[in-house]
Amino acid sequence: MLLSVENLNVFYGEAVHALRDVSFQVDQGEIVSVIGANGAGKSTLMWTLIGLLRPKSGKITFGGKTMNAVPHQAVQGGMALVPERRRLFPNLTVRENLSLGAYLRHDRAKIAEDEAYVFSLFPILKERLGQYAGTLSGGQQQMVAIARGLMSRPKLLLLDEPSLGLAPVLVNQMFDSIQQIARQGTTILLVEQNALQSLKIANRAYVLEVGHIVREGTGQELLRDPSVQAAYLGVR
Ligand code: ATP
């Protein structure tokens, strides 16, 4: 098991109980999806895993080590977060964004190898290396965000709503790329409002509702689950 989360409780102040006894796990090599509506707690979960929010209680174990809510521990341990809504550095070029992703690393040959890898995933980025990230299209900005995450050579890539705001054709391409990244050996935890696509590519998945995990199963099981179909897949 790569990541294990046990009874996680996260609050904003005293009043907002954003994650309630959340428990789940991610095994090496899996794509695990967490689906949920707006405000379900998906981003909160990601920020907590990477160590930017301190849980009130619960335990996060990653690569066999207990995490102590400090960001460098999760990052050095091999997690990378690709945050929601493409929080890139818009005034940096594509090249600069990618180098930031590799900033903890010094092995130049391997960095070059990883650059070649991200260009094989997203060839357009190679043509746009000198361009400011803020001037790229939405889909290309999302590619830069993912590429930046991959440049730290993560064991676990945390993807926060990668399809948000993308045109339908780009959404399909984005999910294809995610599968390709997983096939190359990077384990993926994906949180998404796009339930259909993320369940289709998930080995296993969880449904998060107002901070609770209410369902879990393989992607295929949840696609067939009538309550998931009614709430998330628009099936009546
Ligand atoms: P979205 O897709 O809209 O980002 P989400 O599933 O990622 O939704 P979160 O952003 O994690 O949900 O929010 C979970 C809950 O915590 C919501 O009720 C939200 O209003 C609340 N919340 C999030 N950030 C804060 C904050 N900084 N202060 C107070 N409450 C917050």
Side-chain angles (χ1 to χ4, degrees):
M1 190 190 314
L2 183 60
L3 174 74
S4 148
V5 173
E6 292 166 67
N7 299 314
L8 200 61
N9 283 284
V10 178
F11 287 75
Y12 291 103
E14 301 275 298
V16 182
H17 193 172
L19 294 179
R20 301 163 181 253
D21 284 323
V22 166
S23 298
F24 67 97
Q25 67 183 64
V26 179
D27 291 326
Q28 183 80 42
E30 284 190 307
I31 298 179
V32 172
S33 296
V34 175
I35 61 168
N38 254 338
K42 303 182 299 299
S43 297
T44 302
L45 176 62
M46 294 309 219
W47 294 113
T48 308
L49 290 176
I50 202 79
L52 288 169
L53 284 174
R54 184 176 287 278
K56 182 148 194 182
S57 62
K59 189 173 175 195
I60 300 171
T61 313
F62 177 59
K65 291 199 181 115
T66 303
M67 297 284 116
N68 294 314
V70 282
H72 65 84
Q73 192 191 14
V75 172
Q76 278 173 346
M79 273 191 220
L81 172 64
V82 179
E84 187 189 356
R85 289 188 243 281
R86 305 182 278 276
R87 280 177 223 229
L88 293 173
F89 299 99
N91 299 320
L92 295 184
T93 62
V94 170
R95 185 191 297 282
E96 288 162 342
N97 267 285
L98 296 186
S99 353
L100 277 176
Y103 81 107
L104 281 177
R105 301 175 51 191
H106 305 288
D107 43 352
R108 285 182 182 281
K110 291 226 171 77
I111 293 175
E113 226 174 75
D114 290 344
E115 244 171 26
Y117 165 52
V118 301
F119 296 145
S120 73
L121 280 171
F122 305 120
I124 187 78
L125 296 188
K126 196 166 181 175
E127 293 164 29
R128 300 291 156 93
L129 273 174
Q131 199 169 323
Y132 289 112
T135 66
L136 298 171
S137 72
Q140 290 166 357
Q141 291 193 24
Q142 185 63 60
M143 291 175 198
V144 175
I146 294 180
R148 187 181 63 185
L150 288 173
M151 288 304 294
S152 66
R153 250 194 201 214
K155 295 192 181 95
L156 178 65
L157 190 65
L158 306 174
L159 293 173
D160 194 351
E161 304 221 27
S163 79
L164 193 79
L166 300 185
V169 55
L170 296 179
V171 170
N172 289 336
Q173 284 174 16
M174 186 52 64
F175 281 98
D176 285 347
S177 302
I178 294 169
Q179 283 186 295
Q180 222 177 319
I181 294 165
R183 278 197 295 271
Q184 296 294 323
T186 306
T187 306
I188 290 178
L189 179 64
L190 170 69
V191 305
E192 262 293 346
Q193 285 189 47
N194 187 329
L196 177 63
Q197 298 271 24
S198 54
L199 291 177
K200 274 188 185 164
I201 67 163
N203 299 105
R204 291 184 311 103
Y206 297 86
V207 181
L208 190 63
E209 274 177 14
V210 241
H212 278 290
I213 288 183
V214 296
R215 281 267 185 301
E216 64 175 278
T218 65
Q220 291 305 316
E221 280 165 358
L222 292 188
L223 281 170
R224 289 192 301 263
D225 181 314
S227 70
V228 172
Q229 290 183 343
Y232 298 96
L233 302 172
V235 178
R236 286 160 197 255

